[in-house]
Amino acid sequence: MEISEHIAALRREGDLLATTAAAAGLNAPIPTCPEWQMRDMLRHLGGVHKWAATIVGQRRTQPPGDKEESEMFTMWPDDATLVDSFREGHAELVRTLEAAEPDLVCWTFLSAPSPLAFWARRQAHETSIHRADAQSAGGAIAIFPQALAADGIDEILSGFASRPRGKLRADPPVSIQIHATDADRDWLVHVAPDRVEVRNEHGAADCSVHGRASDLYLLLWNRQGPDGLEVHGDATLLDLWRRLVQIRWS
């Protein structure tokens, strides 16, 4: 996906999330994040949007310090204006990314073609997954465009799960094949005692999972289980993934 496509996805997903949150109410529990109600999710994602907009807009070469970051995530209005405040912060992030120069230099935390490409992609997927959280409050399972979902699978596998200090490890080594049937894309994940390697290819694996990109996206982000997916081989490796791959704010 191009930067402009990620920004368009960020705009669309944030608007849908806000509409969903307003309809469900701030007290609505979030089944996909059991410790949260809707207001907690809005405050969290709103804080992430402020954080990202600050780094990009001010060309920060280091992330905000603890005090500044704490203010971004804790200084929120009362419930009466929370959704509107979220909408404003989301719109500001979109404007900031749209206005950023292609040669932007700023801090990032995953490999990407450029800092702007990183932030547009990361915020598109951060917002998309939390849109799924918001819709889960009403019992709905989110459906994502195929291209966005496949791109999100690639980000979590090649970005988060493959980080040198990641927790996904196995001894003896194991392998998981992910196949997006509607995108005709494959990811072969090799999990070793000291690293994770991801290849964009089809091959023999200890566990193979086939399904629509949207469903695989939610599976890998631990937002839904394997029901409805085609699983072959050692299905317990999906439990290993669920236990060890947990992307949390810290």
Side-chain angles (χ1 to χ4, degrees):
M1 292 178 65
E2 301 295 329
I3 290 172
S4 60
E5 294 174 305
H6 282 126
I7 295 175
L10 168 63
R11 178 187 292 108
R12 180 185 66 246
E13 295 293 324
D15 287 345
L16 181 55
L17 187 156
T19 299
T20 302
L26 299 179
N27 292 324
I30 308 293
T32 51
C33 298
E35 70 276 16
W36 278 354
Q37 293 181 323
M38 190 68 75
R39 69 169 54 78
D40 302 307
M41 192 270 294
L42 286 176
R43 289 170 177 170
H44 164 77
L45 184 57
V48 172
H49 286 171
K50 290 179 185 178
W51 181 74
T54 297
I55 293 168
V56 173
Q58 299 180 15
R59 295 174 173 258
R60 299 277 188 100
T61 57
Q62 295 293 328
D66 291 345
K67 183 177 184 296
E68 186 179 10
E69 183 180 289
S70 177
E71 291 174 351
M72 292 176 184
F73 283 85
T74 60
M75 296 182 65
W76 283 95
D78 59 24
D79 285 358
T81 57
L82 180 58
V83 174
D84 288 340
S85 182
F86 171 84
R87 288 185 186 275
E88 291 168 6
H90 166 248
E92 176 61 25
L93 173 60
V94 171
R95 288 192 296 268
T96 298
L97 290 169
E98 288 179 327
E101 296 295 330
D103 62 354
L104 167 74
V105 175
C106 67
W107 177 78
T108 63
F109 58 87
L110 293 176
S111 178
S114 71
L116 181 56
F118 165 79
W119 283 108
R121 186 191 207 193
R122 178 81 289 279
Q123 292 308 299
H125 291 300
E126 180 80 8
T127 305
S128 296
I129 288 299
H130 287 311
R131 187 262 282 188
D133 293 331
Q135 290 189 318
S136 77
I141 296 177
I143 298 175
F144 294 96
Q146 170 266 315
L148 178 65
D151 185 75
I153 294 168
D154 192 70
E155 188 205 37
I156 194 167
L157 292 177
S158 301
F160 285 106
S162 303
R163 288 185 294 184
R165 292 186 291 179
K167 294 182 179 180
L168 183 62
R169 299 289 185 265
D171 189 8
V174 297
S175 56
I176 305 172
Q177 174 76 59
I178 304 295
H179 175 65
T181 54
D182 56 341
D184 195 25
R185 291 188 63 180
D186 290 280
W187 296 264
L188 186 57
V189 185
H190 293 277
V191 185
D194 59 343
R195 67 189 181 278
V196 173
E197 294 181 352
V198 179
R199 301 172 187 167
N200 295 117
E201 62 185 40
H202 187 84
D206 298 301
C207 177
S208 297
V209 188
H210 297 197
R212 295 184 308 169
S214 183
D215 294 324
L216 293 168
Y217 183 40
L218 291 172
L219 173 77
L220 294 172
W221 272 98
N222 294 325
R223 261 47 184 201
Q224 73 176 40
D227 291 350
L229 297 170
E230 187 179 339
V231 180
H232 301 280
D234 186 359
T236 65
L237 296 185
L238 298 181
D239 297 328
L240 178 75
W241 175 277
R242 181 177 291 274
R243 187 173 74 253
L244 298 181
V245 182
Q246 299 182 10
I247 313 303
R248 297 184 181 276
W249 185 265
S250 61

